Amino acid sequence: MSKQAARDRFNSVYKIIHAELVERIKSEGMPADAVEWYSKNLDYNVPGGKLNRGMSVVDTLRILRGSELSQELYTRAAILGWCIELLQAFFLVTDDIMDASITRRGQPCYYRQPSVGMVAVNDAFMLEAAIYQLLKSHFRSEPYYVDLVELFHETTYQTEVGQLIDLITAPEDHVDLTRFSIEKHRLIVVYKTAFYSFYLPVALAMHMAGIKSPAAFATARNILIPLGEYFQVQDDWLDYSAPPEVLGKVGTDIVDNKCSWCVNKALALATPEQRKILDENYGRKDAQCEARVKALYEELKLADVYAEYEKDVTGKIRALVDQIDELKDRLKKDVFLVFLGKIEGRTK
């Protein structure tokens, strides 16, 4: 099946959950304008992204079972995938408000839509609540139902902790590089990205596949968290190094005072004179300041540092995958190798 065909099939399940969620609010006796508002909230915020997280549930379950999924099994796995996309939508709507962002996915951020404003806060809560409505209606009779609910609650908490560290470490309007460190960067990316983007899809599929061993889930986590960290370091690197026509956007980490991998590596390598350049120019809304920081990155040969990091981390991840006992853990090495294959050496 082509990538587009797989995406189209996954999107067909969105129509099912959209209809179900809208019918639920109708059944509460809500007025027509509230029902219409909720429907538009779902359509504006949930579909339209890359859908990698959601589709990974389906792909992982297929690998674990070693065969194509029946239509019924596919639909149930896809519903879990859309629950991740609902979680992602909840995070993005609130994140855009906190960051005062302008655009998201090539269109105005939801809260900037005419007549929406801070109603977006409540709409975000409703996106999160939809997850648990879907879990209850489709999985309540399953022995792993409580595991699914607890997994979503735990992952939401982890992501919000990561967001907290990010917000207090690198506020856009107050530059203080003494707050930055590689360890803080690691905590931000592990908690804000890796748990919900990498571990959550696989753990959901593992529950559907009937895997119960805590050791198997620990094995998956020990591989997927470094994978997620690697993915975010890549994002940080590409924000600085990739041309806008390749990246699809203009990188803004330097001017936005982001606690990125690049600046933390530069801080670790810089001489006192070079550190002064960073202190005076990083996080400034000024093209010349940004150019000075980029020139310093080149002077520090950050490209070589990144290449060495990538070689090291991919080697370590492959070593962890090699240690999997497929019979004992009921895991398949391909689950992790497919993830690694999608991101290793990517340029956008």
Side-chain angles (χ1 to χ4, degrees), residues 137-256:
S137 64
H138 292 277
F139 296 93
R140 194 170 190 277
S141 63
E142 297 292 345
Y144 53 83
Y145 170 64
V146 173
D147 296 311
L148 298 181
V149 173
E150 289 186 347
L151 181 58
F152 270 101
H153 280 311
E154 179 69 11
T155 305
T156 301
Y157 169 76
Q158 289 162 332
T159 309
E160 290 166 350
V161 168
Q163 175 76 336
L164 171 63
I165 303 169
D166 192 13
L167 289 170
I168 65 176
T169 299
E172 196 169 331
D173 59 350
H174 180 67
V175 182
D176 182 0
L177 298 186
T178 63
R179 296 183 180 188
F180 289 10
S181 70
I182 283 292
E183 176 58 16
K184 276 193 177 177
H185 176 267
R186 186 191 69 81
L187 287 170
I188 291 168
V189 302
V190 166
Y191 279 83
K192 189 176 176 179
T193 300
F195 278 112
Y196 94 94
S197 299
F198 285 81
Y199 179 68
L200 178 59
V202 173
L204 291 171
M206 289 171 67
H207 283 302
M208 280 198 72
I211 297 174
K212 300 177 182 179
S213 165
F217 283 92
T219 296
R221 175 171 165 156
N222 290 340
I223 296 170
L224 292 163
I225 297 308
L227 251 174
E229 185 178 358
Y230 167 41
F231 174 82
Q232 188 57 53
V233 170
Q234 274 186 326
D235 258 15
D236 291 357
W237 173 250
L238 293 173
D239 183 273
Y240 151 64
S241 65
E245 60 271 19
V246 174
L247 191 60
K249 62 179 182 178
V250 176
T252 61
D253 283 359
I254 293 173
V255 297
D256 288 346

Side-chain angles (χ1 to χ4, degrees), residues 57 83 101-102 126 144 173 222:
V57 180
C83 285
S101 299
I102 305 300
M126 293 190 72
Y144 53 83
D173 59 350
N222 290 340

Side-chain angles (χ1 to χ4, degrees), residues 6 14 63 69 72 97 112 130 147 175 236 304 312:
Y14 171 74
I63 293 170
L69 306 179
E72 179 184 1
I97 294 170
R112 293 178 61 85
D147 296 311
V175 182
D236 291 357
D304 293 341
D312 180 63

